[in-house]
Amino acid sequence: MQGADGKKLWELLVTDASSSFRHVEAVPSNCVNSRELRSRVQRLIDDAERRPSTIRFFRSQMKNMISIALGELPDVVCKPSRVTYALYDWLEERERDVYPGMPGYRRPRPEAAPLKLPVKLP
């Protein structure tokens, strides 16, 4: 996705394990930093009926920024995890149903066919 300025459009997607809570927030590329992330997540926690005890995320490329932003939240553990199934499902749904209808959407490049390695003869 690209914004009106031609730069990448970032989204903050927050959900719980049951997908009963979902929050989507577009973030301009010039606001993608640990301070901004901390304030946005802190606002969500302050408004929540029940505070989370753990925040899991899967983007290893963003581990440093997320860890800095959320590492000092009181009584909340922030950790990278691959067990974010509700988030994976939600992203898949958005990629299929939401993003193609948004302005600035570019279809992802198709993945190259896997390389066939030679098989050792008997």
Side-chain angles (χ1 to χ4, degrees), residues 69-109:
L70 308 180
E72 296 180 14
L73 289 173
D75 304 323
V76 177
V77 176
C78 177
K79 63 182 179 180
S81 175
R82 292 185 194 171
V83 188
T84 55
Y85 302 122
L87 188 56
Y88 286 134
D89 292 343
W90 188 22
L91 276 170
E92 187 176 293
E93 175 188 317
R94 289 183 66 77
E95 287 173 356
R96 183 183 63 243
D97 301 333
V98 176
Y99 298 141
M102 293 176 70
Y105 172 77
R106 290 188 319 183
R107 183 173 227 90
R109 290 186 221 160

Side-chain angles (χ1 to χ4, degrees), residues 7-108:
K7 295 182 178 179
K8 281 184 183 178
L9 178 67
W10 292 79
E11 285 185 324
L12 172 63
L13 300 174
V14 180
T15 188
D16 60 357
S18 65
S19 293
S20 60
F21 171 80
R22 286 184 170 182
H23 175 81
V24 179
E25 192 172 340
V27 181
S29 59
N30 63 340
C31 291
V32 178
N33 59 54
S34 57
R35 188 178 319 118
E36 188 70 27
L37 177 61
R38 164 98 188 226
S39 68
R40 290 172 190 254
V41 172
Q42 185 67 58
R43 199 173 330 121
L44 284 172
I45 291 172
D46 292 342
D47 294 343
E49 292 178 16
R50 196 170 133 214
R51 289 180 61 90
S53 59
T54 304
I55 296 177
R56 293 182 293 163
F57 63 93
F58 73 92
R59 289 285 314 267
S60 60
Q61 302 92 327
M62 305 293 285
K63 179 183 178 188
N64 192 39
M65 185 182 78
I66 294 172
S67 298
I68 290 169
L70 308 180
E72 296 180 14
L73 289 173
D75 304 323
V76 177
V77 176
C78 177
K79 63 182 179 180
S81 175
R82 292 185 194 171
V83 188
T84 55
Y85 302 122
L87 188 56
Y88 286 134
D89 292 343
W90 188 22
L91 276 170
E92 187 176 293
E93 175 188 317
R94 289 183 66 77
E95 287 173 356
R96 183 183 63 243
D97 301 333
V98 176
Y99 298 141
M102 293 176 70
Y105 172 77
R106 290 188 319 183
R107 183 173 227 90

